Amino acid sequence: DGNELAPFKNLFNEWFARDTSKKIRAVQKAKAEKGQRVGTTIPYGYRRDPDSGKECKLLVNDETAPIVREIFAMCASGMGPTRIATELKQRRILKPSEYRHRNEGVYGTDTDSSDPYGWSDTTIEKMLSNEVYLGHTVNFRTEIISFKDKRERARPKEEQIRIENTHEAIIDHETWEIVQKVREGKRRRNSMGEVNKYSGLLYCSDCGNKLSFARGTTISPDRFNFFCSRYRKHMGEDLCSPHSIREVVLDDIVLEEINRTLYYSRTRTKEFAGYISKKSSSEVNKTLSRKTAELSNSVKRLGELKALFKRLYEDNVLGRISDEQFRILSAEYTDEQKAIEVRIPELEKEISALKENVTNVQRFLDAAKKYTCISELTPEILRTFISKIVIHEKDRKHCKKSPQQVDIYFRFIGDISGIEETDTDQAAAEEKASGE
């Protein structure tokens, strides 16, 4: 009867399902490698090209693309995903799933018509990290575990297929980079529900930890300040010092430095570009030399460890060392070997990146052209020009009038604090040469 053949039928059915799954995956991979989209959902901000057929080409949706640009602009100005979602909900803007349902007739598993304006912070986060808005196609960001297990999991970046400039971009590269810089740090609200504009940009010069913001309802704004987070967390343990600086003082320093740099880049463009290129080349060479020496020493030490293992084994077999000594020494050498084996690929990657790294002065100049004189610091201004700010300890701790060093690193060009001194030296040399 049929029951006797059931196990065989189930086996053949499983083979068929597995074979079909492999064929579908192969077809999807071939499409992805050609630059075609393999996803079925049209990203919010775009619409399907009616003339593209099965290729599913994207066109900018004039109705929703402005919302996407506004979301990125709000993030660049300092707003987090939760605040952005709240803002969109208050303005009664349809969330992506509901917009697709009403305009395309698509009713997905995430569609909830009972709350059509209920934007979530997760939706905003996914949009802010989606390269589709740069005009690129990224396929295979996720995958189904198997034809038996339909759960979805994220794929490593190196296994994803990325093809650039496959459709019109909604977001420009400058805005994208500012937003990614904002999203890198944890922009947490303080006890008063606010996010400081310097969040994620300030670092302690001694321990390398970020600085935390201190303020209160009973303190006047001109007394709001920043402290080393490690010092603040382990106060009294002498692990670090305060490195405190008032926000108003920092505002004056940063604003003056940005305006000074912008003025110099506009009025002395050629000299500015020359100084940055020369300085960057010198710094890269120093770092490259240090990393190369570390890599050479690591490879040499790895060879020494292999010889030590061999000698250690022989000594144990010949009875020169006990089994307990062999176990302890072997464990120590193994740990060191594992650490070196992890570090070597990291060093190779860092060296490769340094060799390819060229300071893009033009990108800074392009950003500087949009501004003449900045009168107020905003999160967007800071992340347009600043990559990080390093705060040193005062010459005399807890003294308000004591000098304090602040290192400001600009995006694309790094620290340029010595540019005026170089320019002065050059002018003096030219004047001396003309006198002779």
Side-chain angles (χ1 to χ4, degrees):
D1 56 25
N3 291 335
E4 294 176 354
L5 295 176
F8 297 99
K9 288 181 178 179
N10 291 338
L11 180 61
F12 281 110
N13 288 338
E14 182 174 330
W15 284 350
F16 177 77
R18 179 180 296 156
D19 186 53
T20 302
S21 175
K22 288 181 179 179
K23 290 179 179 178
I24 292 174
R25 287 174 183 260
V27 171
Q28 296 285 66
K29 185 177 181 181
K31 287 177 62 179
E33 289 174 345
K34 292 179 182 178
Q36 300 178 15
R37 285 183 53 79
V38 296
T40 56
T41 303
I42 303 300
Y44 186 78
Y46 288 97
R47 61 183 176 87
R48 185 191 300 270
D49 184 353
D51 300 327
S52 62
K54 295 182 179 180
E55 290 189 21
C56 187
K57 292 184 179 180
L58 301 179
L59 295 177
V60 174
N61 188 329
D62 295 332
E63 187 177 356
T64 55
I67 305 299
V68 174
R69 295 189 185 98
E70 192 172 356
I71 288 172
F72 274 81
M74 285 191 285
C75 180
S77 66
M79 293 177 65
T82 303
R83 288 184 62 192
I84 294 173
T86 302
E87 175 73 16
L88 296 174
K89 184 174 183 179
Q90 290 175 350
R91 290 166 50 186
R92 299 179 66 81
I93 295 175
L94 290 174
K95 61 184 181 181
S97 59
E98 185 64 22
Y99 180 85
R100 283 194 296 269
H101 173 53
R102 295 191 183 187
N103 291 272
E104 303 172 16
V106 178
Y107 194 91
T109 55
D110 58 343
T111 305
D112 182 12
S113 297
S114 63
D115 188 14
Y117 311 108
W119 286 77
S120 68
D121 54 352
T122 304
T123 300
I124 302 297
E125 288 174 358
K126 289 180 178 179
M127 290 177 66
L128 294 173
S129 61
N130 195 345
E131 289 188 78
V132 71
Y133 298 117
L134 279 174
H136 309 326
T137 295
V138 182
N139 291 317
F140 295 138
R141 290 186 297 173
T142 60
E143 65 178 352
I144 302 298
I145 295 178
S146 73
F147 71 99
K148 287 184 175 182
D149 190 345
K150 299 301 181 182
R151 288 178 298 172
E152 192 177 78
R153 65 185 176 190
R155 289 170 64 99
K157 282 195 173 183
E158 57 271 16
E159 295 181 11
Q160 299 174 11
I161 298 178
R162 183 177 182 272
I163 302 95
E164 295 186 356
N165 305 318
T166 55
H167 53 273
E168 184 180 350
I170 294 178
I171 303 300
D172 59 81
H173 282 275
E174 184 180 342
T175 303
W176 171 267
E177 289 179 355
I178 292 173
V179 167
Q180 302 317 306
K181 184 66 178 178
V182 170
R183 299 294 300 149
E184 278 178 11
K186 294 181 179 179
R187 297 176 52 77
R188 297 177 179 173
R189 297 186 183 186
N190 56 28
S191 58
M192 302 182 70
E194 299 175 354
V195 179
N196 187 266
K197 61 180 177 289
Y198 288 104
S199 179
L201 294 178
L202 303 182
Y203 293 85
C204 172
S205 63
D206 292 327
C207 68
N209 279 265
K210 292 182 179 179
L211 268 65
S212 56
F213 185 52
R215 61 158 298 174
T217 54
T218 59
I219 305 174
S220 59
D222 62 337
R223 294 177 63 86
F224 296 164
N225 53 28
F226 297 93
F227 286 93
C228 170
S229 58
R230 188 181 188 190
Y231 166 81
R232 196 174 184 183
K233 185 177 180 180
H234 302 281
M235 196 174 295
E237 298 181 25
D238 294 330
L239 295 180
C240 196
S241 54
H243 293 75
S244 62
I245 185 170
R246 286 187 297 156
E247 185 181 23
V248 291
V249 173
L250 186 60
D251 285 345
D252 292 340
I253 294 172
V254 174
L255 187 60
E256 181 181 356
E257 185 67 10
I258 290 178
N259 281 322
R260 180 186 72 87
T261 305
L262 293 181
Y263 175 79
Y264 198 96
S265 67
R266 288 194 310 270
T267 59
R268 306 290 298 275
T269 305
K270 185 177 180 180
E271 293 85 350
F272 180 84
Y275 171 82
I276 298 302
S277 299
K278 183 178 179 181
K279 184 175 184 295
S280 173
S281 177
S282 175
E283 291 179 350
V284 168
N285 288 336
K286 287 180 182 178
T287 307
L288 185 60
S289 177
R290 179 168 51 83
K291 297 286 184 182
T292 303
E294 184 181 353
L295 177 61
S296 177
N297 292 334
S298 297
V299 172
K300 181 180 178 182
R301 180 57 179 169
L302 194 60
E304 292 174 351
L305 286 172
K306 290 179 180 179
L308 285 171
F309 273 122
K310 183 178 180 180
R311 191 182 308 163
L312 190 65
Y313 178 76
E314 292 175 351
D315 289 344
N316 180 249
V317 171
L318 296 174
R320 295 172 183 166
I321 61 173
S322 65
D323 291 342
E324 181 64 17
Q325 290 175 318
F326 175 79
R327 185 187 65 80
I328 295 173
L329 292 173
S330 177
E332 291 178 356
Y333 289 146
T334 300
D335 291 341
E336 185 180 357
Q337 184 182 33
K338 287 180 179 178
I340 292 175
E341 288 175 346
V342 170
R343 181 58 180 158
I344 286 177
E346 292 178 353
L347 285 169
E348 290 175 343
K349 186 176 180 181
E350 291 171 5
I351 290 171
S352 177
L354 283 169
K355 288 180 178 179
E356 296 176 0
N357 180 41
V358 178
T359 301
N360 197 337
V361 182
Q362 189 58 47
R363 296 185 69 180
F364 180 86
L365 294 174
D366 291 340
K369 289 177 183 177
K370 299 179 181 179
Y371 302 89
T372 52
C373 183
I374 299 172
S375 59
E376 181 183 0
L377 289 177
T378 64
E380 184 176 4
I381 291 291
L382 283 171
R383 283 159 183 82
T384 298
F385 294 108
I386 305 298
S387 61
K388 69 175 180 178
I389 302 173
V390 178
I391 309 298
H392 292 254
E393 184 55 89
K394 296 177 181 178
D395 292 350
R396 288 183 295 166
K397 297 179 184 178
H398 310 294
C399 178
K400 294 181 180 180
K401 297 182 179 180
S402 177
Q404 185 174 20
Q405 181 178 340
V406 176
D407 298 334
I408 300 176
Y409 294 83
F410 287 85
R411 295 181 66 216
F412 312 122
I413 60 176
D415 178 19
I416 59 168
S417 55
I419 191 169
E420 288 183 346
E421 287 79 358
T422 303
D423 188 50
T424 302
D425 294 342
Q426 183 180 353
E430 290 176 355
E431 184 178 350
K432 182 179 180 181
S434 61
E436 294 175 353

